[in-house]
Amino acid sequence: MAKINVLIVEDDPLIAEDIRDLLSRVNYNIVGIAHSKADALNLLRNTSPDISLLDINLGDNTDGILIAEIINETYKIPFLYLTSYSSKVILDKVKHTLPMGYVVKPFDEADLFTAIEIAISNYSLFNKSENFTIETINASIPNKLTQKEFEVLLDMYNGCSNTEMADKNFVSVNTIKTHVQKIYEKLDAHSRATFIVKIRQLLQT
Amino acid sequence: MAKINVLIVEDDPLIAEDIRDLLSRVNYNIVGIAHSKADALNLLRNTSPDISLLDINLGDNTDGILIAEIINETYKIPFLYLTSYSSKVILDKVKHTLPMGYVVKPFDEADLFTAIEIAISNYSLFNKSENFTIETINASIPNKLTQKEFEVLLDMYNGCSNTEMADKNFVSVNTIKTHVQKIYEKLDAHSRATFIVKIRQLLQT
DNA sequence: GAAGAAGTCATCCTTTTGGGTGATTTTTAA
DNA sequence: TTAAAAATCACCCAAAAGGATGACTTCTTC
């Protein structure tokens, strides 16, 4: 099994190294340790973590929350909060970012592993749009979609008519209709409505 | 704020009482403590918990998982697993039940509170289908749907063509078409595709 | 550079939708 | 009991979608 890429965002170097040691011993690959918001954004941009562990408090501020928001907007990976203490106040401040969990420091090895694995396995189920890639769709059907077909599929899923798609792609409606036909064949759908249902099914499994 | 109703499913009486004490001191109401699967099903049926804390191992079996499955099917409330230890093996066995989290025993007060609150606040966001009622839809639109229209809407959402709906409801296609038109007016949609998108929007807010 | 896949477009035809209007019956509620 | 709302259906027309087939033009890729 491929190692799970983890990004650690934790200002305390001792704790960060502690986590790295724990995780490195088993099936995890640490793509980086960020001690600040800037570090974190940089690593998010340049590595491809599968999950991020976020300290809420970086130095004297709550930059962890900002990083979480950016992850949700741009990177769409699950994350867990690392907190030194848990309180209703903290919770209210972070829950809108929909963390996949939290780990209260100090934590033990097993807790951390469990939290990470549950986070990753549940995230894909919860975050449906994350699954909405050509790879996920193709993994579930015998006749694979081409790139173009997937683009058309996305537009269809977002409510475009054939004419609208033709216009925005500068091709004729006939071309779009051909793509649509192929998509229907490959997904075993026969109308816009059944197509949507098929997509829902594919994204849920 | 109304107290949060909690169902505790835990075979160890000491731990169960410990949890009850912890939670009762603050904003929680314990609707019951179940020591067995039978107890749990009974309490689920007769009380209305907002969340359940499930020990995975009840006695010498993993009835906690079965209870989780029943909760998912029938009661649709969030639950957290209480585990004495965490391992990949356990995790693989439980993750298909989509727990909102887990708490590893022994746990401290703050951990438990945080886990419960996050579970409850996130559950409603994750569980979209729970929101799919005529009330939720009507709450978001100026011209309310009638009951019949909502039924047609559900069929449309599930991929039925007008003809299919006419057949299964023993009415003419014309009747269905009238309902569909009304639905489009009220939702400001103009085709099956845009209708689906509108519904998605309504369910997400 | 040849073969195959992917993308482009056309034509033909049928079925389904979308839309508008009007009318009748049934239900609901004042 | 009566007026309003909801549900039923019809007819008309235009637009869009669905389905099949064939052909031409890029791209890849070996």
Side-chain angles (χ1 to χ4, degrees):
Chain A
M1 198 168 80
K3 289 205 172 189
I4 295 167
N5 295 310
V6 182
L7 171 62
I8 300 169
V9 181
E10 165 64 64
D11 61 344
D12 184 330
L14 289 174
I15 297 181
E17 286 304 326
D18 195 33
I19 297 176
R20 185 214 288 272
D21 289 347
L22 269 180
L23 296 183
S24 297
R25 264 187 271 135
V26 279
N27 198 37
Y28 298 97
N29 173 42
I30 311 300
V31 300
I33 294 180
H35 298 296
S36 68
K37 187 183 159 198
D39 284 359
L41 296 184
N42 206 38
L43 284 166
L44 279 168
R45 210 178 298 117
N46 298 311
T47 65
S48 294
D50 300 305
I51 187 170
S52 181
L53 308 181
L54 294 180
D55 187 12
I56 295 180
N57 293 91
L58 298 178
D60 54 358
N61 54 49
T62 56
D63 274 352
I65 301 176
L66 299 180
I67 296 171
E69 286 163 354
I70 292 168
I71 288 178
N72 282 333
E73 273 173 33
T74 309
Y75 299 99
K76 299 182 193 307
I77 56 169
F79 57 88
L80 297 169
Y81 281 124
L82 308 171
T83 59
S84 330
Y85 54 99
S86 62
S87 73
K88 187 83 171 61
V89 179
I90 296 257
L91 186 70
D92 281 341
K93 272 164 71 176
V94 306
K95 68 181 184 189
H96 75 280
T97 61
L98 293 181
M100 286 310 295
Y102 63 96
V103 181
V104 180
K105 296 179 281 191
F107 42 79
D108 71 40
E109 197 170 337
D111 282 10
L112 187 60
F113 293 160
T114 315
I116 291 177
E117 307 239 345
I118 286 195
I120 290 179
S121 77
N122 281 6
Y123 182 77
S124 60
L125 281 156
F126 286 145
N127 191 332
K128 298 299 160 48
S129 66
E130 177 61 2
N131 268 350
F132 211 149
T133 63
I134 187 167
E135 287 80 16
T136 354
I137 300 283
N138 275 344
S140 316
I141 54 176
N143 290 329
K144 311 305 178 198
L145 297 170
T146 68
Q147 190 57 41
K148 197 84 215 170
E149 282 161 1
F150 182 69
E151 286 165 25
V152 171
L153 176 149
L154 276 182
D155 282 335
M156 289 168 70
Y157 187 73
N158 287 312
C160 285
S161 70
N162 293 345
T163 320
E164 284 169 340
M165 287 186 275
D167 287 348
K168 73 181 270 198
N169 288 298
F170 305 105
V171 292
S172 94
V173 185
N174 299 303
T175 304
I176 296 293
K177 283 179 69 175
T178 308
H179 290 315
V180 172
Q181 292 296 331
K182 286 283 184 64
I183 293 168
Y184 284 170
E185 275 174 35
K186 292 178 180 182
L187 296 189
D188 186 30
H190 306 277
S191 69
R192 279 301 208 279
T194 55
F195 158 81
I196 296 280
V197 173
K198 281 281 170 185
I199 294 289
R200 270 210 299 272
Q201 286 170 358
L202 291 182
L203 293 184
Q204 250 149 22
T205 49
Chain B
M1 198 169 77
K3 288 204 172 189
I4 296 166
N5 294 309
V6 182
L7 171 62
I8 301 169
V9 181
E10 166 63 64
D11 61 344
D12 184 329
L14 289 174
I15 297 180
E17 284 305 324
D18 195 34
I19 298 175
R20 185 213 289 271
D21 289 347
L22 269 180
L23 295 182
S24 297
R25 263 188 271 133
V26 279
N27 198 36
Y28 298 96
N29 174 43
I30 311 300
V31 299
I33 293 179
H35 298 297
S36 68
K37 187 184 160 199
D39 283 0
L41 296 184
N42 205 38
L43 284 165
L44 279 168
R45 210 177 299 118
N46 298 311
T47 65
S48 294
D50 299 307
I51 186 169
S52 180
L53 309 181
L54 295 180
D55 187 13
I56 295 180
N57 293 92
L58 297 179
D60 53 359
N61 54 49
T62 55
D63 274 353
I65 301 176
L66 298 179
I67 297 171
E69 287 164 354
I70 291 168
I71 288 177
N72 282 335
E73 274 173 32
T74 310
Y75 299 99
K76 298 181 193 308
I77 56 168
F79 57 89
L80 297 169
Y81 281 123
L82 308 172
T83 59
S84 328
Y85 55 99
S86 60
S87 73
K88 187 84 171 61
V89 179
I90 296 259
L91 186 70
D92 281 341
K93 272 165 69 178
V94 306
K95 70 182 183 190
H96 75 279
T97 61
L98 295 180
M100 288 308 296
Y102 64 96
V103 182
V104 180
K105 297 179 278 189
F107 43 79
D108 73 40
E109 197 170 339
D111 283 10
L112 187 61
F113 294 160
T114 314
I116 291 178
E117 307 238 346
I118 287 194
I120 291 178
S121 76
N122 282 6
Y123 183 76
S124 60
L125 281 155
F126 285 145
N127 194 334
K128 297 293 164 51
S129 67
E130 182 62 0
N131 270 348
F132 208 152
T133 63
I134 186 169
E135 287 80 16
T136 353
I137 300 282
N138 275 344
S140 316
I141 55 177
N143 289 329
K144 312 304 177 197
L145 296 171
T146 68
Q147 190 57 41
K148 197 84 214 170
E149 282 160 3
F150 182 69
E151 288 164 24
V152 171
L153 176 150
L154 277 182
D155 282 336
M156 290 168 69
Y157 187 72
N158 288 312
C160 286
S161 71
N162 293 346
T163 320
E164 284 169 338
M165 286 187 276
D167 287 347
K168 73 180 270 197
N169 289 297
F170 305 104
V171 293
S172 93
V173 185
N174 299 303
T175 304
I176 296 294
K177 282 180 68 176
T178 309
H179 290 316
V180 171
Q181 291 297 329
K182 286 282 183 65
I183 293 169
Y184 284 169
E185 276 175 34
K186 292 179 179 180
L187 295 189
D188 187 31
H190 306 278
S191 68
R192 279 298 207 280
T194 55
F195 158 81
I196 295 281
V197 173
K198 281 281 170 183
I199 294 288
R200 271 211 296 273
Q201 286 170 356
L202 291 182
L203 293 184
Q204 248 150 23
T205 49

